[in-house]
Amino acid sequence: MEKILDKFLRYVSVDTQSNEDSSSQPSTSKQLDLLGMLRDELQAMGIPAVLDEYGYVMARIPANTDAKGVPAVGFIAHVDTAPDASGKDVKPQIISGYDGGDILLKGSGAYLRPSDFPELLDYKGQTIITTDGTTLLGADDKAGVAEIMAAAEYIVEHPEFRHGDVCIAFTPDEEIGRGVVRFDVKEFGADYAYTMDGGAVGELEFENFNAAAATVIIKGRNIHPGYAKDKMLNSMRVAMELNSLLPAEQKPEYTCGYEGFYHLIGIEGTVEETTLNYILRDHDLAKHEEQKKVMAACCDFINARYGEGTAALTVKHQYFNMRKEVEPHMHIVDIAKEAMLKEGIEPKVQPIRGGTDGANLSYMGLPCPNIFAGGLNFHGKLEFVPLESMEKASRVILNIVTLFNVTRGGYVNNYKSINYI
């Protein structure tokens, strides 16, 4: 078998950054470069795989068990990287036997320091893969891609490994919230699925934020500054005033756990017109709806102060909390827990402070919790992933497949762990 590290390094070498300003599907054609590569690699393993016009790779490893009624289980990862930082010409650094010290990112001169990121010390003695400080790494979610591909390769190379139908999908555009807009759940064929898109080892998530995007356009009035008294209305200053009306304590940098936030992600303006872009997040749907009302109230205040039409608000739904759809099928969460315990991993069940394709898939009829892929510091130049975390995630996939393949007498494969990498 090919080493999972070699798979990962090959995948991160392909630039797959998505583009939220594009209306195409996928949003960037370069994502198809990796998607086509994955289709070809699956076919080379002997696994039937297709890449459709919307950028979805779907594949299925047929069941080889005599057990009846084994559910088809799916594993999903996205290939795109976030628009927040460049994903072009990624130059990974591989630090074997990490000693617990500062890590120099040689391309930029920046450092990954345990004093800034104490979690680094959890991986002392392991192999750490970082960026060179000039791009992101792409472990979100190419670590998940590599883990699924490694597990698939093991299954087809070991016919003695008994399993039900195993469904595989790779998607584009997750980072811009459009990852499964045209995903055909029926065609995919899984009864249950997991996204391999979480962070540190042990993360297991079946609830996420309710999410919306809010755009506020502020209209101003531009007058020559020498003659502006009682006439000019500077839209940028009005935008600053509107932003100050939002709850100061409900910003991402002041929240954690189940706490929601208002996050200003972009501002562009002139005296004449300014646009503010926000994301609104909360696990509680009632509180999330209240966030929308607060945004509207702030705009109403601005309009009352400066004139009707000064502030115009548009709110766009993005995704709901998957918990409502997963809770009736909690055995899939229990199976994921047991799969981790078989690897000596303590499951860390927690809410996602974000969203995954699994949130929308769960509302499309495919219950889909999220499992760790192993990376940390996603979306930036300080991203890293321990190799051992990817190896564990791939073994967890195999354990899940085994745990779905049950009979009245117990587990068909009856093993504790496989050292296959």
Side-chain angles (χ1 to χ4, degrees), residues 167-280:
C167 305
I168 295 167
F170 300 117
T171 65
D173 291 339
E174 190 270 354
E175 297 292 359
I176 58 173
R178 307 206 302 257
V180 293
V181 170
R182 296 185 174 181
F183 190 92
D184 190 333
V185 168
K186 184 177 180 180
E187 179 68 21
F188 184 50
D191 297 300
Y192 308 101
Y194 300 87
T195 48
M196 303 299 297
D197 193 20
V201 166
E203 286 188 9
L204 171 58
E205 300 140 335
F206 67 93
E207 50 185 327
N208 58 278
F209 280 136
N210 297 288
T215 300
V216 182
I217 297 176
I218 306 291
K219 297 289 187 180
R221 187 169 55 247
N222 195 9
I223 304 294
H224 188 290
Y227 305 93
K229 184 175 173 60
D230 298 327
K231 298 177 182 178
M232 177 185 285
L233 181 62
N234 189 325
S235 74
M236 293 180 287
R237 293 178 63 85
V238 176
M240 293 165 62
E241 181 179 350
L242 183 144
N243 187 65
S244 72
L245 298 174
L246 295 171
E249 75 283 2
Q250 294 184 42
K251 298 175 182 176
E253 56 267 43
Y254 303 134
T255 60
C256 63
Y258 284 93
E259 296 171 331
F261 56 74
Y262 304 79
H263 182 29
L264 178 62
I265 60 172
I267 180 168
E268 183 177 355
T270 62
V271 172
E272 197 75 34
E273 183 175 297
T274 296
T275 300
L276 299 145
N277 292 307
Y278 292 89
I279 58 173
L280 314 179

Side-chain angles (χ1 to χ4, degrees), residues 69-82:
V70 177
V73 58
F75 299 94
I76 302 167
H78 65 89
V79 303
D80 65 312
T81 59

